Amino acid sequence: SYELTQPPSVSVSPGQAARITCSGDALPKQYACWYQQKPDQAPVLVMYKDSERPSGIPERFSASSSGTTVTLTISGVQAEDEADYYCQSADNSGTYQVFGTGTKVTVL
Amino acid sequence: QVQLVQSGAEVKKPGASVRVSCKASGYTFNSYYIHWVRQAPGQGLEWMGRIDPTSGTTTYAQTFQGRVTMTRDTSTSAVYVALSSLRSEDTAMYYCAISPIIMGHAFDHWGQGTMVTVSA
């Protein structure tokens, strides 16, 4: 079955940039999106259609796509950005949705 | 505003079945697919499948084929997920979510989650 691979953890100092990658063979063909999830809360969409930001999401969140890898960047990380982040996309057929393995972002 | 309100927590014995509901409001019910996603304690997100509220057509993740059933009731703007032959590994938070076409595959609104515990 199709898989999306993320690094398990990323640590960053306040004010620095955090970059989280997501790799999958179908990413050149399918849109990717990103979610932030804090403990005991439902996920929140922070990026969609590879690089679009929903209303209400701070501008420090951005994303890009290159080949089989998509990257979420949090510029000027703040303490409140500490959370788990998941990418999501579809398989080559566009029928089955898949979540990435998840990345825990720790703000030092 | 868009709201997805799910039913309350469930405790089931191994081998039993469970049904979780998700009531939608604040938008035209038939407009968007509704998906189900689960998350075991301390684990990642897992897509279970989706239902087209207009036609009732379903697509299930291969992991759940044969054990999951998704249905909808257009008269009450509700969708349901049923999971049978429960085992301890099915203990998880279950979420419903919608994916507007304009957002690509993205789920832009989520329910609050329903905790299902499978224990003898």
Side-chain angles (χ1 to χ4, degrees), chain B residues 53-120:
Chain B
T54 300
S55 63
T57 301
T58 55
T59 300
Y60 301 138
Q62 292 178 339
T63 304
F64 299 98
Q65 291 275 359
R67 277 210 307 144
V68 68
T69 304
M70 295 178 189
T71 55
R72 94 296 191 206
D73 183 342
T74 56
S75 67
T76 59
S77 298
V79 297
Y80 304 87
V81 63
L83 193 61
S84 62
S85 302
L86 290 169
R87 37 204 186 236
S88 58
E89 308 90 270
D90 295 315
T91 294
M93 185 71 81
Y94 289 74
Y95 296 101
C96 59
I98 59 171
S99 60
I101 291 174
I102 194 171
M103 310 289 283
H105 308 293
F107 305 157
D108 76 332
H109 284 87
W110 294 65
Q112 84 276 19
T114 297
M115 187 67 204
V116 173
T117 302
V118 183
S119 174

Side-chain angles (χ1 to χ4, degrees), chain A residues 1 30-31 33 35 37 41-43 45 48-49 54 86 88-90 94-99, chain B residues 35 37 39 43-47 50 59-61 95 101-108 110-111:
Chain A
S1 61
Q30 302 292 342
Y31 283 129
C33 59
Y35 301 92
Q37 187 180 33
Q41 295 183 20
L45 181 69
Y48 68 99
K49 279 188 172 181
Y86 296 90
Q88 180 223 324
S89 187
T95 301
Y96 300 97
Q97 302 299 314
V98 177
F99 287 96
Chain B
H35 302 252
V37 176
Q39 186 172 37
Q43 302 300 309
L45 301 170
E46 183 176 26
W47 182 74
R50 72 179 188 207
T59 300
Y60 301 138
Y95 296 101
I101 291 174
I102 194 171
M103 310 289 283
H105 308 293
F107 305 157
D108 76 332
W110 294 65

Side-chain angles (χ1 to χ4, degrees), chain A residues 44-78:
Chain A
V44 172
L45 181 69
V46 294
M47 300 296 299
Y48 68 99
K49 279 188 172 181
D50 290 345
S51 59
E52 299 291 321
R53 191 171 50 248
S55 61
I57 299 302
E59 290 184 5
R60 64 181 180 272
F61 287 88
S62 64
S64 61
S65 175
S66 179
T68 58
T69 299
V70 294
T71 302
L72 174 71
T73 300
I74 312 172
S75 305
V77 163
Q78 300 181 7

Side-chain angles (χ1 to χ4, degrees), chain A residues 6-12 18 20 35-39 41-44 46 61 72 74 77-86 102-107:
Chain A
Q6 300 179 231
S9 62
V10 167
S11 297
V12 59
I20 306 166
Y35 301 92
Q36 177 192 70
Q37 187 180 33
K38 296 183 178 180
Q41 295 183 20
V44 172
V46 294
F61 287 88
L72 174 71
I74 312 172
V77 163
Q78 300 181 7
E80 67 198 53
D81 299 327
E82 187 163 283
D84 293 326
Y85 291 82
Y86 296 90
T103 299
K104 181 173 183 59
V105 170
T106 300
V107 181

